[in-house]
């Protein structure tokens, strides 16, 4: 079915949010994440805790190919490590007596990386892809209750209010384990 326009956040609400928070600027990642959460909540009718959980799981699922790519690169680098260690050991032994050792080391290291199809910079793709998304997510959810009073009154399972920290620290523990 179609979505009722009155279920979407009003222009006044969006303007209030952008004025009240210095990091909430039109089209900033934090504002976009806030608007996403607010829209998903309004359209789906899910409680806030479910909206946050669904959006988080959706983002994690969308980033899964990037995470897998980074992990595969790490696994290939681990396979390459014994050969790279041998090249480094040879370089350390030769560098004092042979002026061409540095050039040979760079050439051999590049050949190994080509052979295994790896590059150390590829290890940064996962964190660099996740960081802006989840930092924006954190900043948007952190002050969600200020602009949606029903968030403060809504709890879930063992947490009495979405505006308070998890009293048993179960959620931070789960987040740490899932990384």
């Amino acid at each position: 079915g179609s979505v009722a326009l009155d279920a979407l956040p009003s222009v006044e609400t969006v303007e209030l949010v952008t004025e009240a928070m210095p990091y909430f600027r039109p089209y900033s990642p934090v504002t976009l994440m806030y608007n996403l959460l607010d829209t998903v909540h309004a359209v789906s009718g899910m409680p806030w805790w479910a909206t946050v959980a669904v959006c988080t799981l959706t983002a994690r699922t969308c980033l899964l190919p990037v995470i897998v790519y980074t992990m595969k690169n790490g696994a290939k680098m681990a396979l390459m490590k014994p050969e790279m260690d041998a090249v480094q050991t040879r370089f350390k032994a030769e560098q004092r007596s042979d002026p061409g050792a540095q050039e040979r080391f760079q050439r051999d290291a590049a050949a190994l990386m080509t052979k295994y199809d790896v590059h150390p910079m590829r290890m940064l793709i996962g964190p660099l892809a996740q960081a802006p998304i989840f930092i924006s997510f954190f900043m948007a959810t952190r002050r969600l209750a200020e602009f949606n009073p029903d968030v403060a009154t809504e709890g879930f399972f063992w947490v009495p209010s979405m505006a308070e920290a998890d009293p048993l620290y179960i959620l931070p523990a789960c987040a740490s384990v899932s990384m």
Side-chain angles (χ1 to χ4, degrees), residues 17-33:
V17 169
T18 57
E19 289 173 12
M21 300 173 77
Y23 49 82
F24 265 71
R25 299 284 182 246
Y27 306 109
S28 76
V30 178
T31 304
L32 294 173
M33 193 59 67

Side-chain angles (χ1 to χ4, degrees), residues 3-36:
V3 174
L5 290 179
D6 60 341
L8 299 175
S10 68
V11 172
E12 292 80 21
T13 302
V14 173
E15 287 175 357
L16 171 70
V17 169
T18 57
E19 289 173 12
M21 300 173 77
Y23 49 82
F24 265 71
R25 299 284 182 246
Y27 306 109
S28 76
V30 178
T31 304
L32 294 173
M33 193 59 67
Y34 175 85
N35 290 341
L36 172 75

Side-chain angles (χ1 to χ4, degrees), residues 75-95:
K76 289 179 191 177
M77 287 184 71
L79 290 173
M80 179 187 73
K81 187 176 182 340
E83 290 181 58
M84 184 61 82
D85 288 345
V87 169
Q88 288 175 335
T89 302
R90 190 177 71 236
F91 168 68
K92 287 178 184 174
E94 295 175 353
Q95 82 180 46

Side-chain angles (χ1 to χ4, degrees), residues 37-53:
L37 288 167
D38 201 32
T39 302
V40 168
H41 173 72
V43 170
S44 70
M46 290 186 289
W48 276 108
W49 66 267
T51 301
V52 170

Side-chain angles (χ1 to χ4, degrees), residues 96-117:
R96 292 195 180 144
S97 61
D98 185 0
Q102 177 72 34
E103 183 180 314
R104 241 185 343 273
F105 170 73
Q106 289 175 341
R107 187 179 61 241
D108 292 349
L112 273 177
M113 287 187 220
T114 301
K115 174 183 171 184
Y116 285 92
D117 189 29

Side-chain angles (χ1 to χ4, degrees), residues 43-172:
V43 170
S44 70
M46 290 186 289
W48 276 108
W49 66 267
T51 301
V52 170
V54 165
C55 288
T56 302
L57 290 173
T58 302
R60 299 273 295 174
T61 303
C62 290
L63 287 170
L64 194 59
V66 175
I67 295 165
V68 169
Y69 177 80
T70 303
M71 291 173 73
K72 282 183 178 180
N73 188 65
K76 289 179 191 177
M77 287 184 71
L79 290 173
M80 179 187 73
K81 187 176 182 340
E83 290 181 58
M84 184 61 82
D85 288 345
V87 169
Q88 288 175 335
T89 302
R90 190 177 71 236
F91 168 68
K92 287 178 184 174
E94 295 175 353
Q95 82 180 46
R96 292 195 180 144
S97 61
D98 185 0
Q102 177 72 34
E103 183 180 314
R104 241 185 343 273
F105 170 73
Q106 289 175 341
R107 187 179 61 241
D108 292 349
L112 273 177
M113 287 187 220
T114 301
K115 174 183 171 184
Y116 285 92
D117 189 29
V118 298
H119 195 281
M121 295 302 285
R122 289 184 193 163
M123 294 303 294
L124 296 175
I125 293 172
L128 290 177
Q130 292 180 71
I133 293 169
F134 289 108
I135 289 171
S136 299
F137 215 122
F138 168 76
M139 293 173 75
T141 57
R142 191 170 143 209
R143 305 220 10 224
L144 199 57
E146 291 180 32
F147 303 103
N148 294 295
D150 57 327
V151 173
T153 61
E154 189 176 301
F156 65 99
F157 303 117
W158 65 94
V159 179
S161 168
M162 289 272 301
E164 297 174 22
D166 177 358
L168 302 176
Y169 299 104
I170 294 172
L171 292 175

